[in-house]
Amino acid sequence: MREKEFLPAVKDRLGIEQLNEMQQKMMASASESRDIILLSPTGSGKTLAFTLPVMKMLKPSTGRVQCVVIAPSRELVVQIAGVMREVAQGMRVIALYGGHKVEDEVNSLKVVPDIVVATPGRLLDHAVRRNVDLLPVRILVLDEFDKSLELGFEEEMGKLINRMKNVSRVILTSATSADVLPDFLNLNNPITINYLEGNKSLRSRMNVHRVDSDGKDKLESLLTLLNNISQGEEPEKSIIFVNHRESAERVYEFLRKRKVSCVLYHGALDQRERETALALFNSGSRPILIATDLAARGLDIEKVRSVVHYHIPLTPEAYTHRNGRTARIEEDGDVYVLVGPEENVKDFVEFDDTYTLDAEKKGVLRSQFMTLYISGGKREKLSRGDILGFLVKECGVEPSSIGKINVYDHYSLVAVKEGEVPEVLNRSEGKKLKGEKRRITPLK
Protein backbone atom coordinates (compact mmCIF):
# COMPACT_ATOMS: atom_id res chain seq x y z
CA MET A 1 0.00 0.00 0.00
CA ARG A 2 1.09 3.57 -0.55
CA GLU A 3 1.53 5.85 2.45
CA LYS A 4 -1.17 8.26 1.30
CA GLU A 5 -3.64 5.37 1.50
CA PHE A 6 -3.10 4.45 5.16
CA LEU A 7 -1.41 7.40 6.94
CA PRO A 8 -4.60 9.56 7.00
CA ALA A 9 -6.29 6.77 9.00
CA VAL A 10 -3.57 7.03 11.65
CA LYS A 11 -4.59 10.62 12.26
CA ASP A 12 -8.33 10.43 11.63
CA ARG A 13 -9.15 7.05 13.20
CA LEU A 14 -6.42 6.63 15.83
CA GLY A 15 -6.12 10.34 16.69
CA ILE A 16 -2.32 10.34 16.34
CA GLU A 17 -1.16 13.66 14.94
CA GLN A 18 2.53 12.78 14.63
CA LEU A 19 4.45 9.50 14.55
CA ASN A 20 7.16 9.09 17.16
CA GLU A 21 10.79 8.48 16.18
CA MET A 22 10.53 4.70 16.50
CA GLN A 23 7.40 4.53 14.33
CA GLN A 24 9.02 6.69 11.64
CA LYS A 25 12.13 4.52 11.65
CA MET A 26 10.08 1.32 11.38
CA MET A 27 8.10 2.68 8.44
CA ALA A 28 11.30 3.71 6.66
CA SER A 29 12.75 0.22 7.22
CA ALA A 30 9.98 -1.30 5.07
CA SER A 31 11.83 -0.08 2.00
CA GLU A 32 14.84 -2.26 2.82
CA SER A 33 14.78 -5.92 1.82
CA ARG A 34 15.83 -7.07 5.28
CA ASP A 35 14.03 -8.59 8.24
CA ILE A 36 13.48 -6.40 11.31
CA ILE A 37 14.01 -6.98 15.03
CA LEU A 38 12.26 -4.29 17.08
CA LEU A 39 13.26 -4.02 20.74
CA SER A 40 10.87 -1.71 22.53
CA PRO A 41 9.54 -1.17 26.07
CA THR A 42 5.87 -1.35 27.02
CA GLY A 43 3.84 1.76 26.19
CA SER A 44 6.09 3.04 23.39
CA GLY A 45 3.60 2.65 20.53
CA LYS A 46 4.99 -0.67 19.32
CA THR A 47 1.78 -2.01 17.75
CA LEU A 48 1.52 0.93 15.38
CA ALA A 49 5.30 0.78 14.84
CA PHE A 50 5.14 -2.66 13.24
CA THR A 51 1.76 -2.03 11.59
CA LEU A 52 3.19 0.80 9.48
CA PRO A 53 5.84 -1.25 7.60
CA VAL A 54 3.28 -4.06 7.14
CA MET A 55 0.95 -1.57 5.45
CA LYS A 56 3.73 -0.51 3.08
CA MET A 57 4.52 -4.14 2.23
CA LEU A 58 0.90 -5.13 1.50
CA LYS A 59 -0.28 -5.51 -2.06
CA PRO A 60 -3.88 -4.98 -3.21
CA SER A 61 -6.20 -7.76 -2.02
CA THR A 62 -5.42 -11.01 -3.81
CA GLY A 63 -7.95 -13.36 -2.21
CA ARG A 64 -5.13 -14.92 -0.21
CA VAL A 65 -3.64 -14.29 3.23
CA GLN A 66 -0.71 -11.86 2.81
CA CYS A 67 0.30 -11.24 6.42
CA VAL A 68 0.19 -13.21 9.67
CA VAL A 69 0.76 -11.62 13.09
CA ILE A 70 1.33 -14.06 15.97
CA ALA A 71 0.99 -12.83 19.56
CA PRO A 72 1.11 -14.73 22.88
CA SER A 73 -2.18 -13.64 24.47
CA ARG A 74 -5.82 -13.23 23.50
CA GLU A 75 -5.91 -9.63 24.70
CA LEU A 76 -2.88 -8.70 22.64
CA VAL A 77 -4.41 -10.32 19.53
CA VAL A 78 -7.59 -8.27 19.98
CA GLN A 79 -5.58 -5.08 20.53
CA ILE A 80 -3.39 -5.58 17.45
CA ALA A 81 -6.33 -6.50 15.22
CA GLY A 82 -8.15 -3.37 16.39
CA VAL A 83 -5.25 -1.10 15.43
CA MET A 84 -4.69 -2.83 12.09
CA ARG A 85 -8.38 -2.62 11.15
CA GLU A 86 -8.35 1.13 11.74
CA VAL A 87 -5.22 1.65 9.63
CA ALA A 88 -5.70 -0.96 6.89
CA GLN A 89 -8.73 0.59 5.21
CA GLY A 90 -9.99 -1.67 2.43
CA MET A 91 -8.11 -4.70 3.78
CA ARG A 92 -9.79 -7.56 5.66
CA VAL A 93 -8.32 -8.24 9.13
CA ILE A 94 -9.34 -11.32 11.16
CA ALA A 95 -8.50 -12.13 14.81
CA LEU A 96 -8.20 -15.80 15.85
CA TYR A 97 -7.87 -16.71 19.52
CA GLY A 98 -9.25 -19.06 22.17
CA GLY A 99 -12.07 -18.29 24.54
CA HIS A 100 -14.85 -17.47 22.08
CA LYS A 101 -16.85 -19.35 19.46
CA VAL A 102 -14.81 -21.30 16.91
CA GLU A 103 -17.84 -21.24 14.60
CA ASP A 104 -17.65 -17.45 14.36
CA GLU A 105 -14.00 -17.69 13.30
CA VAL A 106 -14.70 -20.43 10.73
CA ASN A 107 -17.47 -18.28 9.22
CA SER A 108 -15.16 -15.25 9.14
CA LEU A 109 -12.52 -17.23 7.28
CA LYS A 110 -14.94 -18.15 4.47
CA VAL A 111 -14.07 -14.76 3.00
CA VAL A 112 -10.27 -14.98 2.89
CA PRO A 113 -8.65 -12.18 4.93
CA ASP A 114 -5.59 -10.17 3.90
CA ILE A 115 -4.24 -10.14 7.48
CA VAL A 116 -4.61 -12.76 10.21
CA VAL A 117 -3.77 -11.87 13.82
CA ALA A 118 -3.72 -14.94 16.07
CA THR A 119 -2.45 -16.81 19.08
CA PRO A 120 -0.16 -19.72 18.05
CA GLY A 121 -2.39 -22.59 19.21
CA ARG A 122 -5.60 -21.26 17.64
CA LEU A 123 -3.91 -20.49 14.30
CA LEU A 124 -2.29 -23.94 14.16
CA ASP A 125 -5.66 -25.55 14.87
CA HIS A 126 -7.29 -23.67 11.96
CA ALA A 127 -4.36 -24.51 9.68
CA VAL A 128 -4.51 -28.24 10.52
CA ARG A 129 -8.29 -28.22 9.88
CA ARG A 130 -7.64 -26.41 6.57
CA ASN A 131 -9.80 -23.46 7.54
CA VAL A 132 -6.96 -21.14 6.53
CA ASP A 133 -4.18 -21.57 3.95
CA LEU A 134 -0.85 -20.21 5.21
CA LEU A 135 1.22 -21.10 2.14
CA PRO A 136 0.72 -17.72 0.36
CA VAL A 137 1.78 -15.66 3.43
CA ARG A 138 4.55 -13.19 2.53
CA ILE A 139 4.82 -11.15 5.76
CA LEU A 140 5.21 -12.63 9.23
CA VAL A 141 5.16 -10.63 12.49
CA LEU A 142 6.02 -12.32 15.81
CA ASP A 143 4.95 -9.84 18.48
CA GLU A 144 6.17 -10.13 22.10
CA PHE A 145 8.38 -12.93 20.85
CA ASP A 146 10.22 -13.27 24.15
CA LYS A 147 6.92 -13.75 25.98
CA SER A 148 5.84 -16.46 23.53
CA LEU A 149 8.97 -18.44 24.31
CA GLU A 150 8.42 -17.97 28.06
CA LEU A 151 4.92 -19.42 27.68
CA GLY A 152 6.15 -22.48 25.77
CA PHE A 153 4.82 -21.68 22.28
CA GLU A 154 8.09 -22.50 20.53
CA GLU A 155 6.94 -25.87 19.13
CA GLU A 156 3.64 -24.48 17.83
CA MET A 157 5.35 -21.50 16.21
CA GLY A 158 7.88 -23.82 14.56
CA LYS A 159 5.05 -25.86 13.03
CA LEU A 160 3.27 -22.72 11.84
CA ILE A 161 6.35 -21.19 10.24
CA ASN A 162 7.03 -24.51 8.50
CA ARG A 163 3.68 -24.06 6.73
CA MET A 164 4.64 -20.56 5.51
CA LYS A 165 7.07 -21.46 2.73
CA ASN A 166 6.75 -18.13 0.91
CA VAL A 167 7.49 -15.68 3.73
CA SER A 168 9.91 -13.04 2.46
CA ARG A 169 9.76 -10.49 5.31
CA VAL A 170 9.84 -11.15 9.06
CA ILE A 171 9.29 -8.60 11.83
CA LEU A 172 10.22 -9.69 15.34
CA THR A 173 9.32 -7.60 18.39
CA SER A 174 10.46 -8.06 21.96
CA ALA A 175 10.56 -6.15 25.24
CA THR A 176 13.91 -7.72 26.12
CA SER A 177 17.07 -8.36 24.14
CA ALA A 178 17.25 -12.02 23.06
CA ASP A 179 20.76 -13.50 22.87
CA VAL A 180 19.72 -16.63 20.98
CA LEU A 181 16.88 -17.04 18.47
CA PRO A 182 15.22 -20.42 17.75
CA ASP A 183 16.50 -22.47 14.84
CA PHE A 184 13.20 -22.28 12.94
CA LEU A 185 13.74 -18.54 12.43
CA ASN A 186 15.90 -18.15 9.37
CA LEU A 187 16.20 -14.37 9.36
CA ASN A 188 17.50 -12.49 6.34
CA ASN A 189 20.32 -10.12 7.41
CA PRO A 190 18.06 -8.54 10.07
CA ILE A 191 18.28 -4.91 11.07
CA THR A 192 17.82 -4.32 14.83
CA ILE A 193 15.91 -1.21 15.91
CA ASN A 194 16.58 -0.88 19.62
CA TYR A 195 14.50 1.45 21.77
CA LEU A 196 15.02 -0.31 25.09
CA GLU A 197 16.95 2.76 26.21
CA GLY A 198 13.48 4.26 26.53
CA ASN A 199 13.23 2.43 29.85
CA LYS A 200 15.68 4.99 31.25
CA SER A 201 13.53 7.95 30.25
CA LEU A 202 10.53 6.06 31.59
CA ARG A 203 12.21 5.86 35.00
CA SER A 204 12.79 9.62 34.98
CA ARG A 205 9.01 10.19 34.58
CA MET A 206 8.18 7.81 37.40
CA ASN A 207 8.30 8.32 41.17
CA VAL A 208 8.80 5.13 43.22
CA HIS A 209 7.50 5.39 46.78
CA ARG A 210 8.08 3.03 49.69
CA VAL A 211 4.91 2.53 51.75
CA ASP A 212 5.43 0.83 55.11
CA SER A 213 2.56 -1.31 56.39
CA ASP A 214 1.92 -2.08 60.05
CA GLY A 215 -0.02 -5.24 59.24
CA LYS A 216 1.49 -8.33 57.67
CA ASP A 217 -1.29 -8.85 55.10
CA LYS A 218 -1.25 -5.13 54.20
CA LEU A 219 -4.96 -4.89 53.30
CA GLU A 220 -5.80 -1.97 55.61
CA SER A 221 -2.66 -0.16 54.48
CA LEU A 222 -3.71 -0.66 50.86
CA LEU A 223 -7.13 0.84 51.52
CA THR A 224 -5.58 3.81 53.30
CA LEU A 225 -3.17 4.32 50.40
CA LEU A 226 -6.02 4.34 47.87
CA ASN A 227 -7.87 6.90 49.99
CA ASN A 228 -4.74 9.04 50.17
CA ILE A 229 -4.00 9.10 46.43
CA SER A 230 -7.62 9.43 45.14
CA GLN A 231 -8.41 13.04 45.93
CA GLY A 232 -10.24 14.17 42.78
CA GLU A 233 -13.87 13.75 41.71
CA GLU A 234 -13.12 10.26 40.39
CA PRO A 235 -10.92 7.50 41.88
CA GLU A 236 -7.27 7.50 40.86
CA LYS A 237 -6.86 5.06 37.95
CA SER A 238 -4.62 2.43 39.51
CA ILE A 239 -3.44 -1.16 39.06
CA ILE A 240 -2.75 -3.23 42.17
CA PHE A 241 -0.37 -6.09 41.36
CA VAL A 242 -0.21 -9.31 43.35
CA ASN A 243 1.84 -12.48 42.83
CA HIS A 244 -0.94 -15.09 42.96
CA ARG A 245 -4.54 -15.54 41.75
CA GLU A 246 -5.75 -16.39 45.24
CA SER A 247 -4.28 -13.13 46.53
CA ALA A 248 -5.99 -11.20 43.74
CA GLU A 249 -9.34 -12.71 44.75
CA ARG A 250 -8.76 -11.87 48.43
CA VAL A 251 -7.73 -8.26 47.76
CA TYR A 252 -10.67 -7.80 45.37
CA GLU A 253 -13.22 -9.10 47.90
CA PHE A 254 -11.76 -6.90 50.65
CA LEU A 255 -12.03 -3.74 48.53
CA ARG A 256 -15.40 -4.62 46.99
CA LYS A 257 -16.98 -5.03 50.41
CA ARG A 258 -15.75 -1.54 51.26
CA LYS A 259 -17.56 -0.06 48.22
CA VAL A 260 -14.40 0.52 46.18
CA SER A 261 -15.03 0.61 42.40
CA CYS A 262 -12.63 -2.19 41.55
CA VAL A 263 -12.38 -5.12 39.16
CA LEU A 264 -10.46 -8.39 39.09
CA TYR A 265 -8.12 -9.70 36.36
CA HIS A 266 -6.16 -12.97 36.26
CA GLY A 267 -5.56 -16.04 34.09
CA ALA A 268 -8.27 -18.24 35.63
CA LEU A 269 -11.02 -15.96 34.30
CA ASP A 270 -12.55 -16.91 30.95
CA GLN A 271 -12.11 -14.72 27.89
CA ARG A 272 -15.36 -12.83 28.27
CA GLU A 273 -14.65 -12.09 31.94
CA ARG A 274 -11.21 -10.77 31.02
CA GLU A 275 -12.61 -8.63 28.18
CA THR A 276 -15.23 -7.22 30.51
CA ALA A 277 -12.70 -6.48 33.26
CA LEU A 278 -10.50 -4.46 30.90
CA ALA A 279 -13.53 -2.63 29.48
CA LEU A 280 -14.70 -1.67 32.97
CA PHE A 281 -11.23 -0.47 33.89
CA ASN A 282 -10.58 1.51 30.72
CA SER A 283 -14.02 3.10 30.77
CA GLY A 284 -13.55 4.36 34.33
CA SER A 285 -16.53 2.39 35.71
CA ARG A 286 -14.07 0.37 37.81
CA PRO A 287 -10.89 2.46 37.84
CA ILE A 288 -9.01 0.20 40.27
CA LEU A 289 -7.73 -3.07 38.76
CA ILE A 290 -6.46 -5.92 40.95
CA ALA A 291 -4.30 -8.14 38.79
CA THR A 292 -1.59 -10.75 38.52
CA ASP A 293 1.37 -10.24 36.19
CA LEU A 294 -0.92 -11.23 33.30
CA ALA A 295 -1.79 -7.52 33.16
CA ALA A 296 1.83 -6.37 33.26
CA ARG A 297 2.38 -6.32 29.49
CA GLY A 298 0.72 -6.63 26.12
CA LEU A 299 -2.60 -5.02 27.08
CA ASP A 300 -4.20 -1.85 25.78
CA ILE A 301 -4.61 -0.12 29.14
CA GLU A 302 -5.02 3.64 29.08
CA LYS A 303 -3.88 6.48 31.33
CA VAL A 304 -2.88 4.57 34.46
CA ARG A 305 -1.77 7.12 37.05
CA SER A 306 -0.54 4.71 39.73
CA VAL A 307 0.88 1.22 40.04
CA VAL A 308 0.72 -0.42 43.48
CA HIS A 309 2.87 -3.46 44.26
CA TYR A 310 0.82 -5.20 46.94
CA HIS A 311 3.39 -7.97 46.59
CA ILE A 312 6.94 -7.24 45.54
CA PRO A 313 7.44 -9.11 42.23
CA LEU A 314 9.72 -12.12 42.05
CA THR A 315 11.94 -10.95 39.18
CA PRO A 316 13.36 -7.62 37.95
CA GLU A 317 11.66 -8.23 34.58
CA ALA A 318 8.24 -8.50 36.21
CA TYR A 319 8.96 -5.33 38.21
CA THR A 320 9.88 -3.43 35.05
CA HIS A 321 6.82 -4.60 33.13
CA ARG A 322 4.45 -3.77 35.99
CA ASN A 323 5.88 -0.28 36.30
CA GLY A 324 5.57 0.16 32.53
CA ARG A 325 1.78 0.28 32.93
CA THR A 326 2.14 3.89 34.12
CA ALA A 327 4.18 6.88 32.87
CA ARG A 328 3.40 5.89 29.29
CA ILE A 329 4.32 8.01 26.28
CA GLU A 330 5.63 11.13 27.98
CA GLU A 331 3.18 11.04 30.90
CA ASP A 332 4.21 10.99 34.56
CA GLY A 333 3.26 8.22 36.96
CA ASP A 334 3.62 7.00 40.53
CA VAL A 335 4.66 3.57 41.76
CA TYR A 336 3.90 2.51 45.35
CA VAL A 337 5.58 -0.53 46.92
CA LEU A 338 3.81 -1.84 50.03
CA VAL A 339 6.39 -3.22 52.47
CA GLY A 340 5.22 -5.33 55.39
CA PRO A 341 6.96 -5.78 58.75
CA GLU A 342 10.22 -7.72 58.35
CA GLU A 343 9.62 -8.03 54.58
CA ASN A 344 12.80 -8.08 52.50
CA VAL A 345 12.91 -5.65 49.58
CA LYS A 346 14.54 -7.00 46.41
CA ASP A 347 17.75 -5.35 45.20
CA PHE A 348 16.15 -4.29 41.91
CA VAL A 349 13.65 -2.00 43.71
CA GLU A 350 14.99 1.55 44.07
CA PHE A 351 12.94 4.07 46.05
CA ASP A 352 12.75 7.82 45.50
CA ASP A 353 11.13 8.44 48.89
CA THR A 354 8.98 7.02 51.68
CA TYR A 355 5.26 7.78 51.49
CA THR A 356 3.62 8.37 54.88
CA LEU A 357 0.04 7.09 55.14
CA ASP A 358 -2.66 9.31 56.67
CA ALA A 359 -5.45 7.14 58.11
CA GLU A 360 -7.74 10.17 58.52
CA LYS A 361 -7.64 11.21 54.88
CA LYS A 362 -10.59 9.95 52.83
CA GLY A 363 -10.61 9.97 49.05
CA VAL A 364 -13.13 9.18 46.32
CA LEU A 365 -13.12 5.42 45.73
CA ARG A 366 -16.47 5.02 43.97
CA SER A 367 -16.87 5.92 40.29
CA GLN A 368 -19.67 8.12 38.96
CA PHE A 369 -19.98 5.82 35.93
CA MET A 370 -21.83 2.53 35.56
CA THR A 371 -21.44 0.11 32.66
CA LEU A 372 -24.47 -1.14 30.74
CA TYR A 373 -24.63 -4.46 28.88
CA ILE A 374 -26.28 -4.52 25.42
CA SER A 375 -27.25 -7.85 23.84
CA GLY A 376 -25.77 -7.23 20.40
CA GLY A 377 -22.33 -6.72 18.91
CA LYS A 378 -20.28 -6.82 15.71
CA ARG A 379 -21.95 -10.00 14.47
CA GLU A 380 -25.31 -8.22 14.78
CA LYS A 381 -23.87 -5.28 12.80
CA LEU A 382 -23.83 -2.92 15.79
CA SER A 383 -21.25 -0.13 15.90
CA ARG A 384 -20.17 2.44 18.50
CA GLY A 385 -21.95 5.10 16.48
CA ASP A 386 -25.22 3.13 16.55
CA ILE A 387 -25.07 2.83 20.34
CA LEU A 388 -24.11 6.47 20.89
CA GLY A 389 -26.91 7.67 18.60
CA PHE A 390 -29.48 5.45 20.35
CA LEU A 391 -28.53 6.70 23.82
CA VAL A 392 -28.63 10.36 22.75
CA LYS A 393 -31.73 10.33 20.52
CA GLU A 394 -33.91 7.62 22.07
CA CYS A 395 -32.84 7.80 25.72
CA GLY A 396 -32.13 11.53 26.05
CA VAL A 397 -28.62 11.12 27.44
CA GLU A 398 -26.22 14.02 26.99
CA PRO A 399 -23.06 12.94 25.08
CA SER A 400 -20.95 14.21 28.01
CA SER A 401 -22.61 11.60 30.25
CA ILE A 402 -21.57 8.74 27.96
CA GLY A 403 -18.14 7.18 28.42
CA LYS A 404 -16.25 4.51 26.53
CA ILE A 405 -18.18 2.12 24.25
CA ASN A 406 -16.80 -1.38 23.58
CA VAL A 407 -18.35 -3.57 20.87
CA TYR A 408 -17.54 -7.30 20.94
CA ASP A 409 -18.72 -10.19 18.77
CA HIS A 410 -22.15 -10.71 20.34
CA TYR A 411 -22.46 -8.03 23.01
CA SER A 412 -21.49 -4.44 23.78
CA LEU A 413 -20.59 -2.45 26.90
CA VAL A 414 -21.10 1.27 27.40
CA ALA A 415 -20.21 3.46 30.36
CA VAL A 416 -22.93 5.91 31.42
CA LYS A 417 -23.07 8.27 34.39
CA GLU A 418 -24.84 6.43 37.20
CA GLY A 419 -27.55 9.05 37.58
CA GLU A 420 -28.62 8.56 33.94
CA VAL A 421 -29.00 4.77 34.17
CA PRO A 422 -32.64 4.58 35.44
CA GLU A 423 -33.79 6.88 32.63
CA VAL A 424 -31.87 4.84 30.02
CA LEU A 425 -33.43 1.59 31.22
CA ASN A 426 -36.90 3.15 31.25
CA ARG A 427 -36.76 4.92 27.88
CA SER A 428 -34.99 2.10 26.02
CA GLU A 429 -37.60 -0.52 26.91
CA GLY A 430 -39.40 -1.75 23.80
CA LYS A 431 -37.37 0.43 21.42
CA LYS A 432 -35.28 -0.97 18.58
CA LEU A 433 -31.54 -0.53 18.27
CA LYS A 434 -30.37 -1.13 14.69
CA GLY A 435 -33.71 -2.69 13.78
CA GLU A 436 -33.93 -5.09 16.71
CA LYS A 437 -35.04 -4.95 20.34
CA ARG A 438 -31.93 -5.36 22.52
CA ARG A 439 -31.63 -6.29 26.16
CA ILE A 440 -29.99 -3.42 28.06
CA THR A 441 -29.07 -4.11 31.68
CA PRO A 442 -26.58 -2.81 34.27
CA LEU A 443 -23.47 -5.00 34.31
CA LYS A 444 -23.15 -6.75 37.64
Side-chain angles (χ1 to χ4, degrees):
M1 293 177 69
R2 291 171 296 180
E3 292 176 31
K4 67 179 183 180
E5 295 178 64
F6 62 84
L7 280 183
V10 174
K11 179 180 178 180
D12 298 337
R13 300 179 72 89
L14 296 181
I16 297 173
E17 295 288 337
Q18 186 171 355
L19 302 178
N20 65 31
E21 181 185 326
M22 177 183 69
Q23 292 161 348
Q24 292 178 31
K25 199 166 185 177
M26 282 291 289
M27 190 164 67
S29 69
S31 303
E32 303 182 39
S33 57
R34 300 169 64 185
D35 294 332
I36 305 167
I37 299 174
L38 173 62
L39 304 177
S40 166
T42 299
S44 56
K46 174 174 57 65
T47 301
L48 182 58
F50 70 70
T51 295
L52 294 170
V54 167
M55 293 301 109
K56 285 185 72 172
M57 295 173 196
L58 285 175
K59 296 177 180 178
S61 291
T62 60
R64 295 182 173 187
V65 180
Q66 297 189 55
C67 172
V68 165
V69 182
I70 297 176
S73 71
R74 303 165 183 177
E75 290 81 4
L76 191 52
V77 165
V78 172
Q79 174 189 324
I80 294 167
V83 171
M84 296 189 104
R85 285 191 187 104
E86 297 292 358
V87 178
Q89 299 297 295
M91 294 287 181
R92 184 168 169 77
V93 181
I94 293 293
L96 307 176
Y97 54 93
H100 67 166
K101 293 182 180 179
V102 178
E103 294 83 1
D104 284 343
E105 294 185 348
V106 172
N107 290 333
S108 295
L109 289 166
K110 287 178 180 176
V111 178
V112 179
D114 301 282
I115 301 169
V116 172
V117 187
T119 52
R122 194 59 161 242
L123 181 58
L124 183 59
D125 183 59
H126 280 296
V128 169
R129 295 172 187 270
R130 299 186 178 180
N131 296 329
V132 61
D133 181 12
L134 299 179
L135 189 60
V137 174
R138 298 184 300 105
I139 307 160
L140 173 64
V141 180
L142 301 181
D143 190 32
E144 298 277 13
F145 183 73
D146 56 324
K147 187 65 175 176
S148 293
L149 294 183
E150 280 179 26
L151 296 175
F153 292 134
E154 186 169 348
E155 183 178 351
E156 290 172 333
M157 289 200 295
K159 290 178 180 178
L160 284 168
I161 291 170
N162 194 46
R163 290 173 174 265
M164 302 182 206
K165 304 291 187 184
N166 293 302
V167 168
S168 57
R169 297 294 297 276
V170 177
I171 300 175
L172 219 62
T173 84
S174 176
T176 57
S177 185
D179 297 326
V180 180
L181 298 176
D183 294 336
F184 60 74
L185 277 178
N186 186 22
L187 298 183
N188 172 33
N189 187 26
I191 177 174
T192 298
I193 297 177
N194 190 342
Y195 276 83
L196 292 180
E197 287 295 311
N199 280 330
K200 294 181 179 178
S201 64
L202 172 69
R203 180 65 179 89
S204 69
R205 303 195 309 273
M206 181 189 300
N207 291 309
V208 181
H209 313 280
R210 177 182 177 124
V211 183
D212 289 308
S213 171
D214 294 334
K216 189 175 180 180
D217 72 358
K218 301 185 279 192
L219 287 172
E220 292 293 345
S221 296
L222 173 63
L223 181 60
T224 301
L225 174 64
L226 294 176
N227 270 301
N228 285 189
I229 64 179
S230 296
Q231 295 299 313
E233 294 181 359
E234 283 289 303
E236 183 91 0
K237 200 167 183 183
S238 306
I239 303 179
I240 301 164
F241 281 107
V242 298
N243 288 346
H244 311 287
R245 293 173 185 172
E246 296 79 10
S247 301
E249 299 273 1
R250 192 167 67 90
V251 172
Y252 168 72
E253 286 300 327
F254 173 84
L255 294 178
R256 185 184 64 82
K257 288 176 180 177
R258 284 150 184 83
K259 310 300 183 186
V260 177
S261 294
C262 59
V263 67
L264 181 66
Y265 187 87
H266 59 60
L269 302 176
D270 65 30
Q271 179 60 25
R272 183 156 171 173
E273 289 171 326
R274 283 154 67 172
E275 283 180 350
T276 301
L278 293 180
L280 288 167
F281 182 62
N282 275 330
S283 71
S285 292
R286 308 281 178 82
I288 296 170
L289 182 73
I290 300 103
T292 59
D293 284 331
L294 183 65
R297 61 192 290 188
L299 300 181
D300 186 14
I301 293 176
E302 305 165 358
K303 299 186 182 301
V304 177
R305 187 66 185 85
S306 302
V307 163
V308 179
H309 297 276
Y310 182 80
H311 291 144
I312 297 173
L314 303 177
T315 66
E317 291 78 17
Y319 180 68
T320 298
H321 289 308
R322 286 182 182 185
N323 291 349
R325 296 285 85 193
T326 188
R328 292 165 69 94
I329 313 178
E330 304 308 319
E331 293 181 349
D332 295 332
D334 287 291
V335 173
Y336 300 90
V337 182
L338 277 167
V339 182
E342 302 179 9
E343 185 173 6
N344 293 322
V345 178
K346 306 278 188 180
D347 291 339
F348 52 76
V349 179
E350 296 180 356
F351 298 113
D352 294 317
D353 58 43
T354 296
Y355 187 93
T356 302
L357 295 174
D358 182 354
E360 302 300 318
K361 201 172 185 180
K362 301 300 179 185
V364 177
L365 297 180
R366 184 175 175 82
S367 174
Q368 297 179 35
F369 280 86
M370 180 181 286
T371 292
L372 298 177
Y373 166 91
I374 300 173
S375 62
K378 295 173 186 174
R379 302 288 175 179
E380 290 74 36
K381 308 298 183 185
L382 273 186
S383 70
R384 292 187 185 94
D386 295 328
I387 294 169
L388 178 63
F390 179 81
L391 291 174
V392 172
K393 294 175 185 176
E394 301 293 338
C395 301
V397 183
E398 289 293 326
S400 59
S401 294
I402 301 171
K404 198 171 180 67
I405 301 172
N406 294 87
V407 182
Y408 301 98
D409 283 349
H410 293 291
Y411 71 101
S412 303
L413 301 175
V414 54
V416 177
K417 280 197 174 175
E418 195 168 18
E420 302 279 357
V421 169
E423 190 70 6
V424 171
L425 299 179
N426 181 47
R427 295 183 65 170
S428 64
E429 192 169 352
K431 291 183 179 174
K432 292 182 178 181
L433 170 53
K434 199 70 178 284
E436 295 285 341
K437 292 181 181 179
R438 311 284 179 190
R439 183 161 55 90
I440 301 178
T441 56
L443 192 69
K444 299 298 183 183

